[in-house]
Amino acid sequence: MTYRLFEGKDHASIYQRYRFTPPDELKNIILQYLDKKKGQPHVLAVDLGCGTGQNSRLLAPHFRQMVGIDVSECQLEEAKAVPGYPNITYRKGTAEELPFADGSVDLLTAASAAHWFDRSRFLAEASRVLKPRGCMALLGFSDTATRFHYQNCGERLSRIYEEVKQVLRPYTSSPVAVSDGKLEELYSAIPFPDKQRIEGIRVKSVIPVRNVVGFVESWSMFQAYRKTDAQTAHDLLLNTQKRFLEEMGVTSPDTEIEWEQEYFCVLASKPQ
């Protein structure tokens, strides 16, 4: 089935504000792989489960045309509202039924989205629409390896973050667990002989504390938790921010901390 958990307007707005753009390190890995396997020109890229368009915008400058596809109208509205990308088109749809001709797509990509796809139907569509030597690039991050750094309290901040995840774990859907497994089963099911999985891409960024809390709010498991008890969910966010600030010895949620994440990428190239 196709999961539909990110469609509300409020959730889409949170997603746009607090979800990360994939790092340049991953973009470069994807483009180098595509250059090696298919070569120029890079005409059409399709970003599946594009959400509010972070990954679409990252890759768009390297293709003549980028099409972002998502099941959520609200997510797409947020994506379309970002100016400055004339070669991106956003369309409502799913990864299992793609509106492209056979052998027409240079790159199929998905950022923190492929774990929601119906595996067999998606792979059948990928095989159909990719050009010979066209590529798949399915990327994400392993939240089990997330670490925070701020003066001497980084370990304590990381522990608070883990405690929040434990509260929300009962609301985790099975596809999120698949993502935590770095798409191992999907990788194994890809029918192309030429495939690889790159792990351990560690990336550091500096963000304000309020964005850490906003990121938690964007999770599907937090949204499920909120549906069961809105007040308790709201209190969890407030308390998490309060605990972070107290550990850091500061009062402003705009105080910046270093966030270290570990990304991975599944790459595959369709045979000639």
Side-chain angles (χ1 to χ4, degrees):
M1 66 175 290
T2 299
Y3 287 80
R4 309 173 74 97
L5 297 175
F6 300 86
E7 296 189 65
K9 188 170 182 61
D10 289 344
H11 195 184
S13 177
I14 293 164
Y15 214 87
Q16 175 71 306
R17 289 201 305 273
Y18 298 118
R19 280 287 170 141
F20 301 103
T21 296
D24 283 343
E25 290 92 330
L26 266 179
K27 177 191 72 175
N28 294 336
I29 287 170
I30 292 166
L31 294 173
Q32 288 165 12
Y33 184 79
L34 186 62
D35 282 336
K36 179 180 178 182
K37 299 301 178 181
K38 193 197 74 70
Q40 299 282 349
H42 300 332
V43 180
L44 174 61
V46 179
D47 184 22
L48 302 170
C50 68
T52 51
Q54 285 89 339
N55 190 45
S56 306
R57 293 188 291 273
L58 178 70
L59 290 168
H62 304 279
F63 294 84
R64 293 181 191 169
Q65 183 183 11
M66 165 66 77
V67 179
I69 292 182
D70 203 275
V71 297
S72 168
E73 290 277 14
C74 292
Q75 294 268 345
L76 294 174
E77 286 175 12
E78 292 281 351
K80 291 173 183 176
V82 178
Y85 295 87
N87 68 326
I88 302 181
T89 303
Y90 292 105
R91 301 178 62 168
K92 186 175 182 179
T94 70
E96 296 84 6
E97 295 181 43
L98 297 175
F100 304 101
D102 296 0
S104 63
V105 177
D106 296 82
L107 176 72
L108 279 178
T109 184
S112 299
H115 52 287
W116 298 108
F117 303 163
D118 180 303
R119 186 188 311 150
S120 59
R121 292 177 63 208
F122 159 61
L123 290 176
E125 277 291 80
S127 298
R128 181 184 69 79
V129 304
L130 281 173
K131 295 177 179 177
R133 299 195 305 274
C135 298
M136 274 192 286
L138 312 176
L139 52 137
F141 62 92
S142 174
D143 206 31
T144 58
T146 296
R147 298 291 182 270
F148 296 94
H149 305 282
Y150 184 84
Q151 296 180 3
N152 64 347
C153 64
E155 285 189 14
R156 295 194 297 278
L157 297 177
S158 299
R159 196 175 310 124
I160 293 169
Y161 186 74
E162 286 300 316
E163 288 171 6
V164 173
K165 286 164 57 181
Q166 288 299 322
V167 171
L168 298 176
R169 195 166 301 280
Y171 303 89
T172 304
S173 60
S174 56
V176 172
V178 170
S179 177
D180 287 344
K182 303 176 185 177
L183 303 178
E184 184 172 350
E185 292 181 3
L186 177 56
Y187 173 78
S188 298
I190 293 172
F192 307 156
D194 190 336
K195 60 183 177 179
Q196 64 184 98
R197 189 171 61 186
I198 302 171
E199 300 181 32
I201 307 165
R202 297 202 69 83
V203 176
K204 294 181 179 180
S205 56
V206 176
I207 65 169
V209 171
R210 71 167 72 250
N211 284 35
V212 176
V213 178
F215 180 64
V216 171
E217 189 178 7
S218 77
W219 294 347
S220 60
M221 55 187 176
F222 178 81
Q223 295 296 319
Y225 183 57
R226 173 180 273 165
K227 287 179 181 177
T228 65
D229 191 332
Q231 185 59 53
T232 303
H234 177 70
D235 291 345
L236 176 65
L237 294 180
L238 289 181
N239 188 49
T240 300
Q241 179 169 287
K242 180 173 178 285
R243 292 179 69 192
F244 261 70
L245 296 177
E246 286 176 350
E247 285 288 355
M248 294 163 63
V250 298
T251 57
S252 172
D254 292 319
T255 305
E256 293 184 329
I257 60 176
E258 187 178 80
W259 177 311
E260 183 178 0
Q261 291 175 293
E262 183 176 294
Y263 285 82
F264 64 90
C265 189
V266 168
L267 299 168
S269 178
K270 181 179 174 178
Q272 175 66 45

